[in-house]
Amino acid sequence: MEFVPGRPPLPPPEAIIAAGHEWAVFLAPADPQMQHTPNEPYYYERKNGITTWIRPFDYIEPTDPNNPDAALNVGHKWQQAESERKRHAARSFAKQDTAVSQQFIDDTPWRRVETKQNRVFYYNNDTKESRWDQPVQVTQALQIMAEKEKEREAEGTEMNVDDAEWMLEQMQDEYMSDDESVDTHDANALPQTDERIALMDKSERIVQFKSMLHEAKVDPFGTWDSELDKVINDWRLTAITDDAERGDLFDTVCAEIIERRNQERKEPLVKSTDPFGDLLRENVVKKTSFAKFCQRNLKDPRYLSIKTSREREKRFVKHLESVVGAK
């Protein structure tokens, strides 16, 4: 097969920006596509980045009677000079690095240190040893810490037998009195929703109606007609019977939601010191039962911040007393 040479390749990156002669000779690497023959010499000009198989007219052949490969050594020297420059730059850059944080590893003399240049090394307080790789003692200690953390999380979320039995009893009692669980075909057994609303004054009805919209997470950019399906089966919908008033309250709630979102974006996120208390304040009204509160918030992380059901009930009862007293 007749060989047709293609364009010469670029030399190694180290040689492209290295100091030295304007021209140097390199040997072409093996090419599976047969664009050139292996070890075929080609020329590279550093100034313009030109490669050519043809000897340039301004190329000056290095002469060394004791070294027949003097021309090839020029390119090799370029690479050596650039490699040395990179090593020197890396050492200079590393000398400017400083520690910015450290973490003491439990039950070990080691501490993990992070630097300004995002590098991590380990320091032994006893032996004064420093090393880049993670010591085996540190690896084992971190594994133990991770296992303990998983155990603590499991203890915080798992319900024991007493908690489970108590919760089932509460839920059963609540279902027996909840209008959603009563047979709708038995007119005598239906709770009188109208009577429940009739006991409320106008301000309480508005509060119940707005609470319903907030709990349904209506779209603040939607319309009352488009969001009605989300609350159509909620008994609190009948707290307000006038369609125009319903629409006005819907607009008010939407404005509150948008204002809250804007405020959250403006204010820095501050971790609450009492997440369970925040959950009570957001979800508990005068007629809220503890069982219903548990059902609605069972998966909320703030609900799980209190470890036992009995402690949750104590907090709920205390909060409910303050709500009733305030009204």
Side-chain angles (χ1 to χ4, degrees):
M1 180 180 68
E2 182 180 359
F3 173 72
V4 180
R7 183 177 179 180
L10 286 174
E14 294 82 0
I16 293 178
I17 59 175
H21 297 279
E22 292 299 326
W23 286 96
V25 180
F26 294 90
L27 297 179
D31 183 6
Q33 298 180 356
M34 296 296 293
Q35 293 295 312
H36 55 258
T37 57
N39 295 323
E40 181 178 359
Y42 66 94
Y43 300 86
Y44 171 74
E45 184 190 23
R46 177 169 54 88
K47 182 177 180 180
N48 297 316
I50 298 174
T51 58
T52 178
W53 299 110
I54 303 172
R55 178 189 173 102
F57 71 92
D58 57 345
Y59 174 70
I60 301 176
E61 185 80 29
T63 58
D64 185 352
N66 297 322
N67 185 3
D69 297 327
L72 294 176
N73 285 343
V74 172
H76 180 66
K77 289 179 180 178
W78 282 12
Q79 298 180 45
Q80 286 183 328
E82 178 62 12
S83 297
E84 181 59 30
R85 186 194 68 79
K86 286 185 176 180
R87 284 194 293 269
H88 178 73
R91 286 194 295 268
S92 299
F93 183 69
K95 289 180 181 179
Q96 302 173 11
D97 203 4
T98 57
V100 294
S101 65
Q102 61 179 347
Q103 175 191 4
F104 290 87
I105 309 301
D106 294 346
D107 301 325
T108 73
W110 292 93
R111 51 178 154 168
R112 181 183 183 274
V113 183
E114 186 171 347
T115 72
K116 186 177 181 180
Q117 298 174 6
N118 296 322
R119 300 191 298 172
V120 175
F121 69 91
Y122 298 86
Y123 178 78
N124 190 305
N125 297 316
D126 295 341
T127 63
K128 313 303 180 186
E129 174 191 0
S130 298
R131 55 191 297 176
W132 294 108
D133 60 312
Q134 188 177 90
V136 176
Q137 192 176 7
V138 173
T139 303
Q140 295 173 346
L142 292 177
Q143 291 176 347
I144 294 175
M145 292 169 60
E147 292 174 358
K148 290 182 178 179
E149 182 63 25
K150 290 182 179 179
E151 292 176 359
R152 283 195 293 269
E153 292 178 356
E155 291 175 356
T157 56
E158 289 182 357
M159 298 178 63
N160 56 35
V161 176
D162 293 337
D163 287 340
E165 292 179 351
W166 179 89
M167 179 60 72
L168 289 173
E169 292 176 1
Q170 293 293 321
M171 292 174 66
Q172 184 176 3
D173 293 341
E174 180 67 17
Y175 289 150
M176 293 300 294
S177 61
D178 197 324
D179 56 280
E180 296 177 358
S181 62
V182 179
D183 185 1
T184 57
H185 297 288
D186 186 355
N188 296 325
L190 280 171
Q192 298 300 315
T193 302
D194 293 340
E195 293 181 2
R196 181 165 29 174
I197 295 175
L199 297 175
M200 302 179 188
D201 57 25
K202 182 64 174 181
S203 61
E204 288 180 321
R205 294 185 184 186
I206 293 175
V207 169
Q208 290 290 344
F209 191 83
K210 293 175 66 176
S211 298
M212 172 192 69
L213 296 176
H214 279 291
E215 292 174 12
K217 298 180 180 180
V218 295
D219 182 4
F221 301 102
T223 64
W224 168 240
D225 292 335
S226 65
E227 298 297 301
L228 180 59
D229 288 342
K230 294 182 179 180
V231 296
I232 195 66
N233 294 321
D234 196 307
W235 67 269
R236 290 170 293 181
L237 178 63
T238 59
I240 303 297
T241 57
D242 183 73
D243 288 339
E245 188 176 2
R246 287 177 175 179
D248 292 340
L249 290 175
F250 175 80
D251 293 340
T252 301
V253 170
C254 290
E256 293 174 355
I257 295 174
I258 294 174
E259 177 63 24
R260 186 179 70 245
R261 291 180 181 177
N262 292 336
Q263 192 66 24
E264 290 174 351
R265 284 195 292 266
K266 293 178 182 178
E267 296 180 354
L269 183 61
V270 178
K271 187 175 182 180
S272 174
T273 57
D274 185 15
F276 191 77
D278 294 339
L279 187 66
L280 290 172
R281 286 186 285 273
E282 292 176 10
N283 294 274
V284 177
V285 294
K286 185 177 180 180
K287 296 186 179 295
T288 303
S289 68
F290 181 64
K292 179 64 71 175
F293 170 77
C294 294
Q295 288 177 254
R296 291 177 176 173
N297 302 284
L298 190 60
K299 296 183 179 180
D300 195 305
R302 296 174 295 178
Y303 176 85
L304 299 176
S305 63
I306 300 297
K307 303 304 180 184
T308 65
S309 296
R310 288 179 178 82
E311 181 63 25
R312 296 188 193 109
E313 185 179 17
K314 290 180 181 178
R315 291 288 305 275
F316 175 86
V317 172
K318 184 177 180 180
H319 178 75
L320 186 61
E321 289 175 353
S322 65
V323 172
V324 174
K327 291 179 182 288

